[in-house]
Amino acid sequence: MKIQDKIKWRTYALGGLFTVLLFVVIGRMFWLQNVQSAELLVKARKTWEKSNVINPKRGDILDRNGQQLAYTGKAYTVIARIAPYENDKKNKDYVQDKQGTAAKLAPILGMTSADILAKLDKKADQVELRPGGWKIPKEKADQIKALNLPGISLYEETRRYYPYGVFASSVLGYVNLDGQAQMGIELSQDEQLRGEKGSFTFKKDGKGNQLPDGLESYKPAIDGNQITITLDHNIQSYVEDALNQAAAQYKMKGITAIVADPNTGEILGMGSRPSFDPNSPTGIENYRNVMVGTNFEPGSTFKIATLAAAIEEGVFNPNELYMSGTYNKIKGSKEIRDHNGGQGWGMISFKEGVKHSSNVAFVILGYERLYKQQATNKLFEYLQKFGFGEKTGIDLPGEERGLFDVNRHYYPRDIASISFGQGVGVTAIQQVAAVGAVANGGKLMKPYVIKEIRDPKTGAIVVQKKPQMVRRVVSENTAKQVRDLLDAVVNEKNGTGQPFALPGYHVAGKTGTAQVSRNGRYVPGKYINSFIGFAPKDNPKLLIYVLVDEPNIENPSAGGKIIAAPVFKSIMERSLQYMKLSPDKTAPVVAVQDETAMMPQLVGTSISQGKGLAAQAGLKAEILGNGAKVVAQYPEASAELTKGSTVYALTTKTGIALPNLAGKTLRDVMEIGALLNLNVTGVTGEGYVTSQSIPPGTVVKPGDKLAVTLTPKSSGPPAVPETEKKAGTKDKSAAN
């Protein structure tokens, strides 16, 4: 081939090749500009642009007086460089002495040396020393810095702090180290507290440095709002102290205390044991606020609602008499017994029944009079009005509604049991709200713990809570009568609440003892003991509920008197003093707490033997008749009585002279009347006997009618007239 031809073909070939290449380039450009442009733009921006998230500061939680209870602060994560630098062999800033490093870090991080060593032996360039080295506080970080360990560095971030540890932890809740809110206010108010994330985007060079004027977009973070709660730091401290002392002194499944203002529904203190430290969130498992999220059988504290309903409906007369001990009017059902083994206290007034916490009294009021004798179930109507069977609406998560349903079919025996707090489930916060309605004059208030929410920068109020009345439950007059009766429970003889009395302060309240129920059966020897009370009685500033769950003591049914009483009294007394509420000079002197005694068997003994046996038991025997031996006694043997009580021994069945009843209580009259088979038909007044229809010394026979007049207890026992004293000395049957 000629040279010219070769040059010609080469020119064609090169031209063709360039033409093909041109079309390839054009095609590629088309492909890049039209098909892959969006994808490539994203990749390009990743190269020369950088976007960062700006995390907001979580809002603080303060007590009602501005005390900081939760805040977000600096934290540090411990990072270990465990591999040499490939591109910088001279850089020795990595962990070389792994065992020595692990041994030095272990006590600071709360980890074992073996656990740390296992992380340092991993095949990686660097590792985080979790969990102990994850988001540690500045104090620990400074200790690690002081060690100056090669390869150990600290990465700065933030975490949630609770400066008082377990203080109100069940109310506050916590935020875990991943920044997730768990339980309490942290969870229920997470949207208000967490704020909104911000972001910014800037241009950078190949080394990642921001170019001058390279900021492209900026969205500031919005910090979380500040929340002020109703808890008072001082009152909460009294709660924590009392619970700590009880938990240290006694073994029990749990103990709870709630302090509220019954007039507003504000929760001033709330705590329980066992508890947890929210500053150590990695060890918290299955904790919940038992005060709002646990149903339990309340026992006799529930009787307050039944009592208020009976008074409101006009079916309660404090001076009316009934026979205590047992109730067996429900066909086909086991009899209902008073808590002293069904012994009761004889024929007593309903006021005495309230003081003794007689189950029979409340069955008569709740079952007979509010249920059977009404066109509708008035008992359940009032229980619903008091808020049982529905959530209170408190601003805490996990609230239960209790185990009571007005629409459910209950058998008569169940209704009778509910009247005295058995066979029904409630929550502690329901009890607080319900009894608060009695304390404040009849208004059911919605309990709450959030006082206000503010913008942290401007201080503007975002949310402000105010007291909210749910409904009126009973009249002011009814509430006053209930308060008076609850005052007698605490401050008068025979009252079950005497261990909870405070010198100088008018405390009113009610005890409760309930057997623990599991799988539909009551567990022998397992009890929930409680007391709910308020002070001052007629102008209550504080209401306190203390609940002891399954105390492990010698007499577990006495957990209220032994464990709950010191807790209640400590919190109430210190709180009232903190509120500068001076002791009330008109308040009753604290009654000497009654001690129980067992009635001995006197029948068949001589008079001197009978008196001796009674004295040994701490009782006072009054002999009736002129016989040589005891032929009848009241009360029966093994009855549980209060030490110092008078018991009666009959030595003949006929020809008994009626003793002088002046200065006796109504209970004394009823006991003597029952022993002599008299018909006590008329009782006027209240307090101590001032006159009797059958003169002292008169020989009585079975069936004789006796009427007595009493004076108010505030007047004290009346002086016995001289004529009656003389008559009494002639009647040997009245001698002790």
Side-chain angles (χ1 to χ4, degrees):
M1 181 180 291
K2 295 180 179 180
I3 293 178
Q4 292 85 351
D5 292 336
K6 288 182 178 181
I7 294 173
K8 180 179 178 181
W9 281 108
R10 287 176 182 174
T11 302
Y12 288 154
L14 287 173
L17 177 62
F18 284 128
T19 302
V20 170
L21 291 175
L22 177 61
F23 278 107
V24 169
V25 171
I26 293 173
R28 182 61 177 166
M29 290 177 61
F30 176 82
W31 180 263
L32 293 175
Q33 291 180 356
N34 294 277
V35 179
Q36 277 193 314
S37 60
E39 180 183 345
L40 293 174
L41 182 60
V42 170
K43 289 182 178 180
R45 282 179 174 171
K46 285 183 178 179
T47 302
W48 47 263
E49 284 187 352
K50 184 175 181 180
S51 296
N52 275 354
V53 173
I54 307 173
N55 290 314
K57 180 185 177 184
R58 191 174 181 85
D60 294 347
I61 301 177
L62 314 176
D63 90 322
R64 65 188 301 114
N65 299 313
Q67 192 82 16
Q68 197 175 49
L69 303 180
Y71 67 93
T72 297
K74 289 183 179 180
Y76 303 85
T77 295
V78 183
I79 298 174
R81 174 77 189 190
I82 55 179
Y85 292 87
E86 291 184 4
N87 299 326
D88 189 359
K89 299 296 183 181
K90 295 181 180 181
N91 191 338
K92 302 298 182 183
D93 190 17
Y94 63 93
V95 178
Q96 300 178 54
D97 181 7
K98 294 182 179 181
Q99 289 188 341
T101 299
K104 291 178 181 178
L105 290 177
I108 300 176
L109 302 184
M111 300 172 66
T112 65
S113 296
D115 287 341
I116 296 177
L117 193 59
K119 294 182 179 296
L120 297 180
D121 284 335
K122 286 185 175 181
K123 293 182 178 180
D125 290 338
Q126 63 181 33
V127 293
E128 292 183 2
L129 300 184
R130 296 191 183 194
W134 187 23
K135 294 189 176 182
I136 62 175
K138 185 176 184 299
E139 295 75 19
K140 287 189 175 183
D142 289 342
Q143 292 179 45
I144 293 172
K145 284 181 182 178
L147 295 174
N148 198 25
L149 296 170
I152 301 300
S153 60
L154 298 165
Y155 174 71
E156 184 177 309
E157 43 193 331
T158 62
R159 63 166 288 178
R160 199 71 162 161
Y161 288 100
Y162 303 88
Y164 301 102
V166 299
F167 186 94
S169 56
S170 57
V171 178
L172 298 175
Y174 66 99
V175 175
N176 65 23
L177 295 181
D178 285 319
Q180 299 169 333
Q182 307 289 320
M183 69 178 289
I185 292 171
E186 294 281 22
L187 178 61
S188 68
Q189 303 299 317
D190 185 48
E191 188 174 344
Q192 292 282 355
L193 288 165
R194 68 172 178 246
E196 295 181 17
K197 292 182 178 181
S199 63
F200 66 93
T201 302
F202 63 89
K203 292 180 180 179
K204 63 178 183 176
D205 59 19
K207 294 183 179 181
N209 300 314
Q210 182 176 342
L211 296 172
D213 300 322
L215 186 63
E216 289 199 335
S217 66
Y218 174 72
K219 178 186 176 183
I222 301 176
D223 289 342
N225 290 323
Q226 180 187 83
I227 294 181
T228 299
I229 62 176
T230 60
L231 264 59
D232 186 297
H233 185 273
N234 289 291
I235 293 177
Q236 182 66 32
S237 296
Y238 306 149
V239 171
E240 302 288 348
D241 290 346
L243 294 179
N244 285 338
Q245 187 169 350
Q249 190 172 359
Y250 301 101
K251 292 182 178 180
M252 66 200 91
K253 183 178 179 181
I255 183 169
T256 290
I258 301 175
V259 185
D261 181 343
N263 302 293
T264 63
E266 292 175 288
I267 303 302
L268 304 177
M270 180 181 277
S272 63
R273 297 292 181 274
S275 189
F276 62 91
D277 185 350
N279 291 307
S280 302
T282 54
I284 300 172
E285 294 181 1
N286 300 324
Y287 277 99
R288 70 181 187 280
N289 188 337
V290 296
M291 294 160 280
V292 302
T294 299
N295 299 310
F296 62 93
E297 195 168 282
S300 294
T301 54
F302 196 75
K303 293 173 180 175
I304 296 174
T306 302
L307 177 61
I311 294 174
E312 184 77 358
E313 287 297 309
V315 298
F316 175 84
N317 179 353
N319 298 321
E320 182 186 355
L321 305 176
Y322 77 99
M323 179 56 73
S324 63
T326 59
Y327 184 91
N328 52 16
K329 297 181 182 180
I330 304 175
K331 292 182 180 180
S333 296
K334 186 179 178 180
E335 68 179 12
I336 293 172
R337 301 186 297 174
D338 277 323
H339 58 77
N340 60 354
Q343 292 289 338
W345 305 270
M347 184 76 75
I348 59 174
S349 69
F350 274 97
K351 178 181 178 181
E352 287 295 312
V354 173
K355 289 164 59 177
H356 281 291
S357 194
S358 167
N359 294 336
V360 173
F362 285 90
V363 171
I364 294 171
L365 295 174
Y367 172 69
E368 277 193 13
R369 300 182 179 180
L370 291 174
Y371 169 65
K372 283 188 68 178
Q373 298 175 9
Q374 304 290 332
T376 58
N377 189 340
K378 288 293 183 182
L379 174 64
F380 281 16
E381 283 185 21
Y382 278 93
L383 295 183
Q384 187 177 36
K385 284 183 180 181
F386 271 108
F388 296 112
E390 64 182 22
K391 295 180 181 180
T392 65
I394 189 171
D395 36 17
L396 287 172
E399 184 181 10
E400 290 285 328
R401 60 179 293 273
L403 301 175
F404 171 68
D405 186 353
V406 293
N407 297 315
R408 174 186 161 189
H409 173 71
Y410 289 91
Y411 292 104
R413 181 62 163 76
D414 297 332
I415 296 172
S417 297
I418 288 172
S419 69
F420 58 88
Q422 195 176 82
V424 62
V426 303
T427 64
I429 197 64
Q430 283 179 334
Q431 286 278 86
V432 168
V435 178
V438 169
N440 66 32
K443 298 174 291 184
L444 182 67
M445 304 299 295
K446 182 178 179 179
Y448 63 103
V449 295
I450 305 298
K451 192 171 181 65
E452 65 179 26
I453 301 175
R454 289 180 179 267
D455 184 305
K457 295 189 180 298
T458 65
I461 295 177
V462 178
V463 176
Q464 187 169 42
K465 294 284 189 73
K466 293 183 179 181
Q468 181 180 343
M469 185 178 85
V470 180
R471 55 183 163 266
R472 174 166 286 280
V473 182
V474 293
S475 67
E476 290 188 9
N477 182 55
T478 292
K480 174 67 167 63
Q481 291 183 60
V482 177
R483 291 198 302 269
D484 289 342
L485 290 164
L486 296 181
D487 170 55
V489 168
V490 175
N491 298 299
E492 291 186 12
K493 185 179 179 182
N494 300 325
T496 57
Q498 289 183 72
F500 298 85
L502 274 178
Y505 294 103
H506 226 125
V507 173
K510 185 76 187 70
T511 55
T513 303
Q515 275 190 281
V516 173
S517 175
R518 291 198 182 102
N519 301 319
R521 294 180 178 272
Y522 290 109
V523 183
K526 300 292 184 182
Y527 294 90
I528 295 176
N529 311 111
S530 61
F531 180 80
I532 190 163
F534 47 88
K537 188 248 308 182
D538 284 324
N539 184 24
K541 303 297 183 185
L542 295 174
L543 181 147
I544 300 177
Y545 186 35
V546 179
L547 186 145
V548 181
D549 189 5
E550 296 187 30
N552 185 11
I553 56 178
E554 185 175 349
N555 181 11
S557 65
K561 178 170 65 175
I562 296 171
I563 303 175
V567 172
F568 174 87
K569 291 165 71 173
S570 173
I571 298 171
M572 180 64 84
E573 186 170 30
R574 295 176 72 185
S575 297
L576 290 174
Q577 291 173 352
Y578 160 67
M579 297 171 71
K580 295 182 171 52
L581 194 68
S582 301
D584 183 0
K585 294 180 180 179
T586 65
V589 176
V590 176
V592 177
Q593 295 179 13
D594 298 326
E595 296 182 31
T596 58
M598 192 72 73
M599 177 67 178
Q601 177 63 265
L602 303 182
V603 175
T605 66
S606 65
I607 293 175
S608 60
Q609 288 174 332
K611 283 186 175 182
L613 289 172
Q616 288 177 15
L619 302 169
K620 180 181 177 182
E622 185 166 335
I623 307 301
L624 301 177
N626 298 316
K629 288 187 175 183
V630 179
V631 295
Q633 68 183 64
Y634 193 87
E636 296 295 328
S638 299
E640 185 179 330
L641 302 169
T642 301
K643 280 191 176 181
S645 297
T646 299
V647 298
Y648 301 93
L650 194 65
T651 59
T652 58
K653 293 192 175 182
T654 59
I656 305 296
L658 182 67
N660 179 21
L661 302 178
K664 301 290 186 183
T665 65
L666 177 61
R667 182 184 177 190
D668 295 332
V669 173
M670 301 310 301
E671 289 175 345
I672 295 170
L675 190 61
L676 301 180
N677 291 318
L678 300 178
N679 187 3
V680 182
T681 57
V683 177
T684 304
E686 184 182 80
Y688 299 90
V689 175
T690 55
S691 66
Q692 57 193 83
S693 61
I694 302 175
T698 302
V699 175
V700 294
K701 60 183 181 298
D704 283 351
K705 295 181 179 180
L706 173 66
V708 293
T709 301
L710 303 95
T711 59
K713 292 184 182 293
S714 58
S715 301
V720 180
E722 284 298 320
T723 55
E724 294 188 2
K725 286 182 182 178
K726 292 177 181 178
T729 56
K730 293 178 182 178
D731 178 19
K732 293 183 181 180
S733 68
N736 292 327

